[in-house]
Amino acid sequence: ALLAALDAKVTEVQTKTIPGLDISAQLMATWTESRGLIREFVLADTAAEKQQVAEAIVANREAIRRLLKNYEAAITTAEDQKNHTLFRDLFSQFTTAADPIIAAGRLSGANEPALNQNAAAKRDLEPIAVRIQTVAKAMIDFNKAEADDSTRKIVTIVRAAELGLIVCFGIALVLAILCGTLLFRAVTVPLGKLLGIVDHMRRGDFS
């Protein structure tokens, strides 16, 4: 039973905990890059630069959506599901709010529109961005806690198995000593009687 529990816990760590922690860390990094790309787009001076950054934003969005999809397989609890859903919904709100800013920025690279875009980004995007950052951190913290809890459980199971082995070894040792004693007596008692009979016969006592 202990070995089965250990195998189940190790499998859970390999298929859920480690992938969840890895993907949540990637989400945080990719999301941080997303915020940086928006700032870079707003501050870009030329239409060519804005186009280049806009393409990077599209690729970044696809990366985040892909990570969110992959994360679904690692979800184990209602809390984890809630964080995932909240991140996905907030990210959808962020992209919806960012699209008009990006569209307006593509029309002009002049400084005044850039300043207007920056103000709009701070007004419309920053509150959502802060919430996404908080949720991303919560996802990482959750998976770290899950990893720590799984490690503690595995250690507990291993220690219980070690204790079980020690107890089994002790019982086996006691049984071995008992069986050895019984076997010794089973051999030596009849042998002693036989030796006594032989001794009597050697002395010519056949009574």
Side-chain angles (χ1 to χ4, degrees), residues 114-144:
L115 292 175
N116 293 336
Q117 293 161 31
N118 191 29
K122 289 183 178 180
R123 182 187 68 247
D124 300 333
L125 300 182
E126 193 60 24
I128 304 174
V130 170
R131 292 183 65 192
I132 294 177
Q133 190 82 10
T134 301
V135 175
K137 185 177 183 304
M139 292 173 74
I140 291 177
D141 291 343
F142 172 85
N143 283 286
K144 283 183 178 178

Side-chain angles (χ1 to χ4, degrees), residues 13-176:
V13 169
Q14 291 176 334
T15 59
K16 302 289 185 180
T17 307
I18 293 177
L21 184 57
D22 179 56
I23 296 172
S24 60
Q26 290 184 58
L27 267 175
M28 174 65 87
T30 310
W31 163 245
T32 302
E33 180 186 0
S34 182
R35 295 183 71 178
L37 285 171
I38 291 294
R39 286 192 291 268
E40 187 177 344
F41 178 86
V42 168
L43 296 176
D45 293 327
T46 66
E49 290 177 351
K50 287 185 180 293
Q51 178 62 29
Q52 184 178 2
V53 178
E55 291 174 357
I57 289 173
V58 171
N60 175 271
R61 290 178 177 182
E62 288 303 314
I64 289 179
R65 293 189 182 101
R66 185 169 57 253
L67 288 170
L68 286 171
K69 181 64 177 177
N70 293 340
Y71 189 84
E72 292 175 2
I75 294 174
T76 57
T77 67
E79 179 185 353
D80 202 15
Q81 180 66 62
K82 179 182 177 181
N83 287 335
H84 174 270
T85 301
L86 185 56
F87 188 107
R88 184 194 62 203
D89 293 346
L90 286 171
F91 182 69
S92 178
Q93 294 176 30
F94 183 86
T95 57
T96 300
D99 283 344
I101 297 173
I102 295 173
R106 281 174 165 171
L107 297 177
S108 174
N111 289 332
E112 185 175 352
L115 292 175
N116 293 336
Q117 293 161 31
N118 191 29
K122 289 183 178 180
R123 182 187 68 247
D124 300 333
L125 300 182
E126 193 60 24
I128 304 174
V130 170
R131 292 183 65 192
I132 294 177
Q133 190 82 10
T134 301
V135 175
K137 185 177 183 304
M139 292 173 74
I140 291 177
D141 291 343
F142 172 85
N143 283 286
K144 283 183 178 178
E146 285 288 295
D148 291 342
D149 182 62
S150 295
T151 301
R152 284 192 297 269
K153 287 180 179 178
I154 289 174
V155 170
T156 299
I157 293 172
V158 169
R159 287 178 177 172
E162 290 175 345
L163 179 60
L165 288 174
I166 292 172
V167 171
C168 289
F169 178 77
I171 293 174
L173 181 62
V174 171
L175 290 175

